Amino acid sequence: MRLSSVERAMLAGEQGRATQKAMEILVALGTIYDAEHMVPVTSVQIAGVSYDNLGEAGLHFLTQLQVGGGKARVLTTLNPAGMDVENWQKLGIDPGFAGKQLQVIHAFARMNVITTCTCTPYLSGNVPHFGEHIAWSESSAVCYANSMLGARSNREGGPSALAAALTGRTPAYGMHLDEERRPGITFVVEADLVENDDYGGLGKAIGERMQALEGKPVPYIRGLKQASLENMKSFAASLATYGGAALFHMKGVTPEAGQFSPPGEAISISAADVVKAKLELTDGDPLQADFVSLGCPHLSIKEIARIAELLEGKQVVKEFWITTARPTKQIADRMGYSQVIEASGAKFAADTCCVVAPIKGRFSALVTDSAKACYYAAGKNQFQTILKPFDEVVLTAIGESHQEAA
Amino acid sequence: MNWEGRKIYAGVAEGKIIASQMGISFFGGVDPESGVVVERGHDLEGQSVSGKVLVFPTGKGSTVGSYTLYRLKRAGKAPIAIVNEECETITAVGCIIAEIPCVDQVPINELRTGQLVKVDGDQGLVTLLAE
């Protein structure tokens, strides 16, 4: 791997211990994946923020880098934390956990990382544009940025994204290269999809088929007529969760799709395939469910407006968490949505989400519209899951869902 | 006997091999306090990787696994070196942050549990010292 004189100086420790450790990580990855050189990045998104996932060792590592003089050199934002930073008491978070979580956030802040604490950086001011090289480590956001924005990121882990932030570089391999972005398989969708959970089901159906293919080709998807931002954020999250995908092309939707003709090898996805994928994510009884959550990935302001509309004058009968980025919550405050939502007994959980909060053992069954949330609720927290359309999730929280018979 | 591989992380260590034919997921697959492999059905299940030269084909699972290697190191329970057939991101980053010598692209089927070896991460070399 060829390094510039600046990069060699970083590796030799001439810019401090933290920068050296960061460059060691990047050089090792470049070696493993046969990168010829480093490429400058313009944006970083760091996962591995919740103390629930980092533990004492992770906090120690971050503190070492901070003490070692680590500073982000490019726009760097943060994934959700394990709690609402301003409102953790109301959500039943243990004070010991809260203290550790704040230490994690402060360590990042001292390294000039902007502590957005959201998994949708593209809704909160970290919006790379077409062709930009970036290093992101939230799998749903990587898939969204590569596919919907046409930016270029590998699926980084927390430490490798942080290493990119501290050096402003990443090794040029994988998604940074034109040839690696070419589609290798066509998926023909023969179904009319409307709701976020439909798109989550589609992500699971395609993702699981991708896993079975040799060499994990980039999918080219056609057959969908239109899709909202909210649909696509749900789809990207699900495809990344179930298929490990960094990138997809979708005819008529994503910016790079027009550069390619659909690969000859094609798999069709029927309406029944999508229904099957969704049913596989429902193993609980919605009437017995004790936890309802929307916002995986974090909710847009449009989604929060819809929740307020549905909750106006109602009372929730189940614990209901609405997870979003702090700035989105602040807009909801200004518009009066938050007051309506909180008057119903539903709770905002800004900065965090039901995937990374320490809620194992607190609940037994989750109702959500997110296929990704179902995966982590079942695996990490051992909850039963119930996947429903967005409006039905809200209606379940107030005991008015019409779908319970199903 | 020498095996020439590729340097992933620097440092030199001598010790006995514990070898696996299977991928290892450090997050969830290895107890971070004891170094015992806990993944059900794994060929090293119930055995400790602590203080050994850990030989396995490649890493798998969650990227949080890098921090598991760091936790093991802090608990004094880490392997003293890692040798892979093909190293990947999780193991490489874990070795770098935990400062564990690591070499890959070695024919690991020639390495057996109990052999005494020297792993030289600076040169990318594995040397057999005793059967």
Side-chain angles (χ1 to χ4, degrees):
Chain A
M1 188 174 188
R2 290 194 316 276
L3 296 181
S4 70
S5 56
V6 175
E7 289 155 2
R8 283 197 300 273
M10 288 178 178
L11 190 60
E14 289 169 26
Q15 298 194 15
R17 187 72 195 106
T19 306
Q20 181 180 32
K21 187 60 55 183
M23 190 49 83
E24 284 175 356
I25 289 173
L26 300 179
V27 169
L29 295 181
T31 304
I32 291 172
Y33 299 109
D34 293 325
E36 290 177 5
H37 56 90
M38 298 283 174
V39 63
V41 295
T42 51
S43 157
V44 173
Q45 165 78 7
I46 298 176
V49 179
S50 173
Y51 184 74
D52 200 33
N53 291 340
L54 282 171
E56 201 52 31
L59 173 57
H60 185 268
F61 174 67
L62 293 173
T63 307
Q64 292 296 108
L65 286 181
Q66 181 242 312
V67 171
K71 295 282 182 201
R73 294 170 193 244
V74 296
L75 175 65
T76 302
T77 52
L78 215 51
N79 237 29
M83 63 184 198
D84 185 311
V85 175
E86 295 177 16
N87 197 27
W88 52 269
Q89 292 96 337
K90 272 197 198 157
L91 297 166
I93 301 294
D94 172 67
F97 178 91
K100 293 292 187 185
Q101 184 63 73
L102 289 174
Q103 284 182 40
V104 169
I105 290 171
H106 292 155
F108 278 119
R110 286 192 200 100
M111 290 192 275
N112 289 350
V113 173
I114 298 166
T115 57
T116 46
C117 299
T118 180
C119 53
T120 55
Y122 49 87
L123 297 181
S124 295
N126 191 349
V127 198
H129 50 88
F130 191 86
E132 272 190 58
H133 295 279
I134 63 175
W136 283 18
S137 62
E138 153 60 36
S139 69
S140 72
V142 170
C143 192
Y144 191 95
N146 272 315
S147 311
M148 297 300 291
L149 306 179
R152 300 183 165 212
S153 179
N154 286 318
R155 283 163 53 96
E156 303 293 345
S160 63
L162 181 55
L166 300 186
T167 59
R169 288 155 167 82
T170 195
Y173 70 93
M175 287 296 110
H176 296 285
L177 308 177
D178 289 344
E179 61 271 24
E180 301 278 337
R181 299 176 69 89
R182 299 192 66 81
I185 179 88
T186 300
F187 286 92
V188 184
V189 180
E190 293 163 337
D192 282 326
L193 306 183
V194 179
E195 301 281 351
N196 292 343
D197 64 316
D198 295 335
Y199 280 84
L202 179 68
K204 179 172 185 283
I206 294 179
E208 288 178 348
R209 283 164 178 78
M210 276 171 62
Q211 294 279 23
L213 296 167
E214 187 81 16
K216 274 227 248 151
V218 172
Y220 182 102
I221 300 158
R222 63 183 183 88
L224 290 163
K225 289 171 194 70
Q226 56 179 18
S228 67
L229 179 150
E230 290 76 12
N231 294 156
M232 294 315 293
K233 121 176 123 64
S234 191
F235 176 72
S238 181
L239 192 69
T241 299
Y242 295 97
L247 167 68
F248 63 88
H249 302 292
M250 190 179 279
K251 191 178 181 193
V253 176
T254 66
E256 275 164 85
Q259 297 176 11
F260 307 106
S261 19
E265 189 185 349
I267 298 174
S268 71
I269 303 287
S270 67
D273 292 329
V274 176
V275 169
K276 178 168 173 287
K278 289 197 293 179
L279 286 175
E280 284 165 358
L281 297 176
T282 295
D283 65 349
D285 173 359
L287 291 173
Q288 301 297 320
D290 51 359
F291 186 40
V292 178
S293 184
L294 285 171
C296 173
H298 272 167
L299 294 172
S300 68
I301 189 64
K302 187 174 144 191
E303 289 175 309
I304 292 175
R306 178 62 181 159
I307 295 173
E309 198 179 326
L310 291 168
L311 288 181
E312 176 93 55
K314 308 283 186 179
Q315 284 299 306
V316 300
V317 295
K318 297 175 189 294
E319 179 89 0
F320 183 12
W321 285 18
I322 291 159
T323 65
T324 191
R326 177 72 52 194
T328 311
K329 163 72 166 54
Q330 285 165 342
I331 301 169
D333 293 349
R334 172 177 289 181
M335 292 303 292
Y337 305 147
S338 305
Q339 291 82 338
V340 170
I341 288 168
E342 284 170 346
S344 78
K347 295 172 182 170
F348 271 96
D351 312 313
T352 187
C353 73
C354 66
V355 170
V356 297
I359 51 174
K360 188 174 182 180
R362 273 181 66 184
F363 307 108
S364 61
L366 167 72
V367 184
T368 180
D369 74 334
S370 165
K372 172 178 178 170
C374 289
Y375 178 86
Y376 287 98
K380 181 174 175 242
N381 291 324
Q382 282 150 27
F383 298 162
Q384 291 183 320
T385 58
I386 299 111
L387 182 71
K388 282 171 169 277
F390 188 90
D391 284 8
E392 288 296 325
V393 173
V394 181
L395 296 176
T396 301
I398 55 176
E400 290 185 11
S401 173
H402 306 299
Q403 283 203 335
E404 310 308 26
Chain B
M1 178 140 192
N2 268 338
W3 293 275
E4 232 174 285
R6 184 170 69 167
K7 167 195 166 169
I8 300 295
Y9 190 68
V12 179
E14 279 183 28
K16 285 198 169 170
I17 288 177
I18 182 166
S20 168
Q21 302 304 310
M22 298 171 74
I24 291 183
S25 169
F26 288 99
F27 184 68
V30 180
D31 181 76
E33 303 301 324
S34 67
V36 171
V37 176
V38 292
E39 183 179 331
R40 277 186 217 147
H42 199 278
D43 63 3
L44 297 184
E45 186 182 356
Q47 299 185 59
S48 172
V49 301
S50 163
K52 309 261 177 53
V53 173
L54 177 59
V55 177
F56 61 102
T58 193
K60 61 175 184 174
S62 164
T63 55
V64 183
S66 302
Y67 286 121
T68 305
L69 278 168
Y70 190 76
R71 264 178 95 169
L72 285 167
K73 181 67 176 242
R74 304 237 318 133
K77 298 291 183 186
I80 56 167
I82 287 180
V83 179
N84 284 161
E85 190 170 300
E86 272 306 320
C87 194
E88 48 52 71
T89 305
I90 304 162
T91 307
V93 171
C95 286
I96 293 164
I97 67 178
E99 309 201 323
I100 298 168
C102 180
V103 173
D104 82 339
Q105 295 190 345
V106 166
I108 62 161
N109 54 344
E110 295 173 21
L111 299 174
R112 287 185 305 279
T113 296
Q115 287 173 329
L116 182 68
V117 291
K118 177 167 126 179
V119 177
D120 184 338
D122 301 323
Q123 308 291 328
L125 271 183
V126 179
T127 307
L128 182 65
L129 301 175
E131 280 292 341

